[in-house]
Amino acid sequence: SVMDSVRAKGLHGRDECAKGGSRPAIIIATAGIAVGLMVMILTMSVTRGFKSQIRDKVMGFSQHITVTNAYVGMGIIEDPVTCTDSAFKALSDLELVERVQPFVNKPCIVRTDEAFHGFMLKGIDANYDRTFLNQYMLEGGFPELQDSLGSNWIILARTIADMLGLEVGSKADVYFMQNQVRIRRLTVTGIYETGFLEYDRMFGVSELALLQRLNEWTPDEYTGLEIRLKDYKRIDDGYSQVRGVMNELESINDEDYLVQTMYDTHSGLFAWLDVLDLNVWIILALMLGIAGFTMISGLLIIIFERTATIGTLKSMGASNSTVRKVFLRLASYIIIKGMAIGNVVGIVICFVQQWFHIIPLDPANYYLDSVPMQIGLGWLIILNVVMFILSMLMMLIPSAVISD
């Protein structure tokens, strides 16, 4: 009611009755709500940022679904996946599939005067989507004129290039271990860095045709296929569709295929991210409890200090429920003010970190070079609504102190 609102504003305002002990209680309660919501926003945005960036980098290296021969990793030269134009078309025509691209993986050792390092060389063709690698290219890039270098080019991660003392334009002797050692001198045309050190130091990129020739494979034979879906959230449905096509190809090509989602091939990494989700729920519960406890304590202080005011209201005929409404209205003002401050501070911190990357991380441990933050309007609204409702429900505890 209007009178309840007026009385609540009188208790909350800076008039003479608010200049006593209750003013610090209101400030503390407001600060508790603000800090609690700010921490919740930062926790949610960091977790979402981590999951989003790591998922994007995993997809950049291997896409949503990977198809390999079932006997992958069984020998020096792995059994290939045979995929003709008709097979590519069958996969590309699937409802959920956006892109199908072949690759050839081949272990190698690069030796220079400074050092040597072994890693997996990934062969890609001209139709391969190079957006991800171009995004993280530090120097050089893919050779624009294939005729000038043929297939004798290689792109390395910065961590490998620094270790070997290589730069763009350097010649690298690459050793391939087969029945006999084969050596190819490749020109470094690009150096990239994703910050995903676990993968950066494991992969280089070169021409698919080169690795096919080294394996003595036909142009239709590959280590595997990378499949990008239109919506990664439907990865299980996409897996079922791809598995169905590969089952038909198994009988045609007399090969056994292994179909895996990115959650299968990177199970340890995504298990770690799932643990982060559990931590988020724990932090949210703790922050809500702390903010609620601060609010309850603050309102109890105000109620105890306003016993004379409560007595006056009751002598004027106000019921217990009416007096409770006055203090609950006061609580709502405090909660809304605290939430407004918490939202502003939390969102500003998120955007500052997004733009300027002030808080760094060690990529060797966290896969990223700075703390990622991602604001989402949907979860932000839900968080505010839930925070307000639960805070108001908690306020029923101190308001029950008011009695005849």
Side-chain angles (χ1 to χ4, degrees):
S1 69
V2 176
M3 288 304 296
D4 292 342
S5 178
V6 171
R7 295 182 185 117
K9 287 180 180 177
L11 290 173
H12 181 261
R14 292 180 173 273
D15 57 7
E16 195 170 318
C17 72
K19 290 181 180 177
S22 62
R23 189 65 191 172
I26 292 174
I27 293 173
I28 293 171
T30 304
I33 290 289
V35 172
L37 183 58
M38 179 193 71
V39 172
M40 291 182 190
I41 291 173
L42 295 179
T43 301
M44 287 288 291
S45 64
V46 168
T47 304
R48 285 173 59 87
F50 256 112
K51 297 188 73 170
S52 176
Q53 286 203 24
I54 290 178
R55 184 179 62 244
D56 289 346
K57 289 185 179 183
V58 167
M59 290 189 298
F61 278 106
S62 62
Q63 300 302 326
H64 301 121
I65 297 175
T66 305
V67 178
T68 57
N69 194 292
Y71 302 103
V72 62
M74 301 296 286
I76 295 176
I77 301 178
E78 299 170 347
D79 292 328
V81 169
T82 302
C83 193
T84 60
D85 290 342
S86 59
F88 274 113
K89 187 176 188 308
L91 287 168
S92 300
D93 288 345
L94 291 174
E95 174 194 356
L96 295 177
V97 171
E98 179 180 330
R99 190 182 187 93
V100 181
Q101 47 195 27
F103 67 94
V104 175
N105 280 346
K106 192 168 182 61
C108 70
I109 295 175
V110 175
R111 181 179 177 277
T112 64
D113 294 337
E114 285 77 13
F116 65 90
H117 180 65
F119 56 93
M120 187 68 73
L121 193 58
K122 181 174 183 176
I124 63 176
D125 61 15
N127 296 320
Y128 193 93
D129 183 3
R130 302 175 178 185
T131 306
F132 173 76
L133 286 172
N134 284 332
Q135 177 184 350
Y136 293 101
M137 200 70 68
L138 296 180
E139 302 174 42
F142 290 91
E144 296 180 6
L145 301 175
Q146 292 287 341
D147 294 340
S148 63
L149 293 172
S151 58
N152 298 318
W153 58 270
I154 188 172
I155 292 176
L156 300 174
R158 188 177 75 171
T159 180
I160 297 177
D162 290 348
M163 184 188 309
L164 299 173
L166 295 172
E167 56 188 21
V168 172
S170 299
K171 304 290 185 181
D173 290 328
V174 185
Y175 295 75
F176 298 95
M177 306 302 171
Q178 296 180 202
N179 297 328
Q180 60 181 12
V181 177
R182 295 189 178 185
I183 306 174
R184 292 292 184 273
R185 174 158 286 193
L186 307 181
T187 301
V188 178
T189 62
I191 295 176
Y192 75 91
E193 181 181 38
T194 67
F196 209 1
L197 291 184
E198 188 75 15
Y199 283 74
D200 282 359
R201 57 180 167 227
M202 287 174 53
F203 284 99
V205 180
S206 189
E207 178 64 40
L208 182 144
L210 168 67
L211 303 187
Q212 283 179 320
R213 288 197 300 271
L214 287 168
N215 287 345
E216 298 179 356
W217 287 350
T218 69
D220 291 336
E221 292 181 324
Y222 314 97
T223 298
L225 307 173
E226 294 176 352
I227 299 171
R228 181 195 303 160
L229 302 179
K230 296 173 182 175
D231 182 3
Y232 79 89
K233 295 179 182 177
R234 298 187 62 187
I235 196 167
D236 290 335
D237 295 333
Y239 170 86
S240 299
Q241 291 184 7
V242 172
R243 182 72 262 184
V245 171
M246 299 316 296
N247 286 343
E248 296 177 7
L249 292 177
E250 281 184 340
S251 57
I252 296 174
N253 297 329
D254 192 26
E255 296 175 353
D256 294 327
Y257 299 120
L258 176 64
V259 181
Q260 295 177 295
T261 68
M262 62 181 181
Y263 299 111
D264 298 323
T265 54
H266 307 87
S267 56
L269 189 58
F270 284 103
W272 173 61
L273 293 179
D274 288 339
V275 172
L276 285 183
D277 284 339
L278 176 61
N279 292 341
V280 167
W281 287 111
I282 293 174
I283 292 172
L284 292 181
L286 288 174
M287 287 300 100
L288 185 61
I290 293 171
F293 178 78
T294 306
M295 277 294 302
I296 290 171
S297 302
L299 198 58
L300 280 173
I301 292 172
I302 296 170
I303 290 172
F304 290 147
E305 288 186 345
R306 294 291 175 264
T307 51
T309 304
I310 294 172
T312 302
L313 291 173
K314 288 186 176 182
S315 66
M316 296 172 61
S319 63
N320 284 339
S321 63
T322 301
V323 177
R324 287 194 190 101
K325 286 179 183 179
V326 173
F327 282 92
L328 286 176
R329 187 67 63 88
L330 170 62
S332 70
Y333 292 150
I334 297 172
I335 292 170
I336 291 172
K337 182 178 179 180
M339 288 177 62
I341 296 172
N343 274 295
V344 171
V345 176
I347 292 172
V348 167
I349 291 175
C350 287
F351 280 123
V352 168
Q353 176 63 18
Q354 275 184 338
W355 292 333
F356 302 107
H357 307 290
I358 294 174
I359 308 173
L361 287 177
D362 181 1
N365 295 322
Y366 296 98
Y367 306 108
L368 304 172
D369 56 8
S370 66
V371 175
M373 292 191 174
Q374 185 181 80
I375 289 289
L377 183 61
W379 66 258
L380 191 59
I381 292 174
I382 292 173
L383 183 63
N384 275 270
V385 171
V386 171
M387 175 83 169
F388 181 78
I389 292 174
L390 292 181
S391 298
M392 288 302 296
L393 289 175
M394 289 183 191
M395 291 307 97
L396 295 176
I397 297 173
S399 68
V401 172
I402 302 169
S403 58
D404 293 327

